[in-house]
């Protein structure tokens, strides 16, 4: 049991589990959104943390770290992205099309039967990235749909995707956002805001409910690994041990994806690489 507790103590803000719990602190999350978007937000409501949206039985479900709505009915999805996933078979990076799929699923989930398209809420999908996907050193990359023939013409669909590059050096961000980037990168506390974040993390890690939830999660992952190992051994006897282990890991990864676990968590459970899990995710 001590092993699970010490694992929680070692988590940093870049970990999905801890990121979710920090963003569930309304004052911190609301302040981050206000600083990023340069606006005042009266209040935010948590729609469902770590929600898995699976609109159709045979569709590819997605897990959302934190999903929020404000009093103006603007919806936000906040995600932590530690690594830059790539499909080994094609060599293509997966993040752009992942955002496309997230947006489509969010819209489909949001619009109820009989509602008009103009009832879709404005949305922001925001990725905190510990890498520079576009290799231009921008701190923030913001995407909206524009006309290629005249970039001043915007398709006002009110859907925005933002990639926050914690390693960026170009573009202006508020002091609190920069201090948050520094904290994500190196646990450096250089502002009152990151002191609040750090104190909140200590509080979260000392919360018995959180510790119990994390211990339960760790035990569940161990059970899944043990189950996968047993299934792999049985299958390996019939088809060869090496082939059985490979298929065992693939089958386990598919099950965990369908349950909504993150790629990072699945790599821990199966020993597959991030690239391998991402390739399975897009099948």
């Amino acid at each position: 049991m001590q092993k699970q507790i010490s694992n929680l103590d070692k988590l940093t803000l870049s970990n999905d589990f801890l990121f979710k719990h920090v963003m569930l602190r309304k004052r911190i999350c609301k302040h981050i959104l206000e600083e990023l978007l340069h606006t005042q937000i009266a209040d935010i409501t948590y729609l469902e943390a770590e929600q898995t949206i699976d609109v159709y039985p045979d569709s590819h479900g997605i897990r959302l770290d934190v999903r929020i709505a404000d009093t103006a009915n603007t919806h936000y999805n906040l995600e932590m992205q530690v690594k830059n996933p790539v499909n080994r078979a094609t060599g293509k990076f997966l993040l752009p099309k992942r955002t496309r799929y997230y947006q489509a699923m969010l819209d489909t989930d949001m619009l109820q039967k009989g509602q008009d398209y103009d009832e879709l809420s404005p949305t922001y999908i925001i990725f905190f990235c510990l890498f520079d996907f576009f290799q231009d050193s921008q701190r923030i990359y913001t995407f909206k749909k524009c006309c290629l023939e005249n970039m001043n013409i915007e398709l006002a669909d009110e859907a925005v995707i933002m990639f926050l590059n914690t390693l960026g050096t170009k573009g202006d961000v508020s002091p609190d956002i920069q201090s948050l980037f520094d904290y994500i990168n190196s646990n450096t506390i250089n502002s009152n805001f990151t002191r609040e974040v750090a104190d909140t993390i200590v509080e979260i890690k000392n919360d018995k409910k959180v510790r119990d939830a994390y211990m339960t999660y760790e035990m569940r992952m161990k059970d899944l690994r043990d189950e996968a190992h047993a299934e792999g051994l049985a299958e390996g006897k019939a088809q060869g041990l090496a082939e059985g282990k490979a298929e065992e890991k693939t089958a386990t990864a598919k099950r965990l994806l369908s349950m909504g676990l993150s790629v990072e968590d699945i790599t821990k459970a199966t020993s597959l690489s991030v690239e391998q899990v991402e390739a399975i995710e897009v099948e």
Side-chain angles (χ1 to χ4, degrees):
M1 184 172 294
Q2 184 60 38
K3 182 177 185 295
Q4 282 84 15
I5 293 176
S6 63
N7 283 344
L8 174 59
D9 292 333
K10 293 176 183 177
L11 296 186
T12 64
L13 187 56
S14 63
N15 176 270
D16 280 345
F17 182 91
L18 191 55
F19 175 77
K20 178 195 73 172
H21 282 278
V22 171
M23 291 302 106
L24 288 176
R25 300 302 175 99
K26 181 180 288 189
R27 208 208 76 80
I28 290 176
C29 188
K30 178 173 171 289
H31 183 65
I32 289 173
L33 291 175
E34 289 177 330
E35 294 290 292
L36 282 174
L37 304 177
H38 308 289
T39 188
Q40 293 294 313
I41 297 174
D43 196 12
I44 59 174
T45 301
Y46 292 95
L47 302 179
E48 187 175 352
E50 204 171 280
Q51 179 187 15
T52 299
I53 295 179
D54 196 0
V55 178
Y56 303 109
D58 58 348
S59 67
H60 179 73
I62 59 172
R63 191 201 64 146
L64 304 179
D65 280 351
V66 184
R67 189 178 174 197
I68 300 161
D70 64 19
T71 48
N73 201 31
T74 299
H75 287 221
Y76 308 89
N77 171 218
L78 306 180
E79 301 285 333
M80 178 61 70
Q81 190 71 34
V82 175
K83 296 183 178 180
N84 187 10
V86 62
N87 186 328
R88 279 190 174 182
T90 64
K92 292 183 178 180
F93 291 102
L94 302 175
L95 198 53
K97 287 191 176 179
R98 177 185 291 182
T99 63
R100 171 180 165 182
Y101 191 71
Y102 275 30
Q103 185 65 62
M105 294 294 280
L106 280 172
D107 287 345
T108 303
D109 182 65
M110 192 185 307
L111 198 64
Q112 301 299 314
K113 186 176 180 180
Q115 288 184 302
D116 293 329
Y117 294 116
D118 62 359
E119 295 182 68
L120 283 171
S121 300
T123 59
Y124 285 83
I125 296 177
I126 303 173
F127 278 84
F128 289 77
C129 299
L130 277 69
F131 53 90
D132 186 356
F133 183 84
F134 301 98
Q135 299 295 308
D136 193 42
S137 299
Q138 299 292 335
R139 290 182 171 92
I140 299 178
Y141 299 92
T142 303
F143 291 87
K144 297 181 179 181
K145 296 183 180 70
C146 295
C147 175
L148 292 180
E149 288 74 19
N150 184 344
M151 296 298 287
N152 292 319
I153 300 175
E154 179 185 326
L155 182 65
D157 61 356
E158 297 185 305
V160 180
I161 296 173
M162 300 176 69
F163 297 90
L164 311 184
N165 171 23
T166 63
L167 303 176
T169 57
K170 296 179 182 178
D172 294 329
V173 294
S174 73
D176 278 354
I177 292 299
Q178 183 58 58
S179 69
L180 180 65
F181 287 175
D182 295 338
Y183 185 74
I184 292 173
N185 291 334
S186 61
N187 286 326
T188 301
I189 298 171
N190 53 22
S191 71
N192 291 334
F193 179 59
T194 47
R195 167 52 62 191
E196 180 181 359
V197 172
D199 290 344
T200 298
I201 288 175
V202 172
E203 181 183 335
I204 289 171
K205 289 181 176 180
N206 288 328
D207 187 318
K208 186 178 184 302
K209 289 184 179 179
V210 176
R211 300 184 81 84
D212 289 346
Y214 189 72
M215 291 169 64
T216 300
Y217 160 77
E218 290 278 277
M219 289 186 285
R220 182 178 66 175
M221 296 296 287
K222 181 181 183 301
D223 289 342
L224 289 170
R225 288 194 297 267
D226 291 345
E227 177 186 342
H229 179 67
E231 290 179 1
L233 287 177
E235 191 172 346
K237 290 179 181 178
Q239 300 181 6
L241 186 59
E243 181 181 353
K245 284 185 177 180
E247 292 186 0
E248 158 207 329
K249 290 181 179 181
T250 299
T252 301
K254 288 181 179 179
R255 289 200 302 272
L256 298 184
L257 283 167
S258 69
M259 293 167 58
L261 271 70
S262 69
V263 171
E264 180 184 356
D265 292 337
I266 295 171
T267 60
K268 293 178 183 178
T270 62
S271 298
L272 292 172
S273 68
V274 171
E275 292 78 9
Q276 288 171 314
V277 177
E278 293 287 358
I280 295 169
E281 188 178 20
V282 298
E283 288 180 355

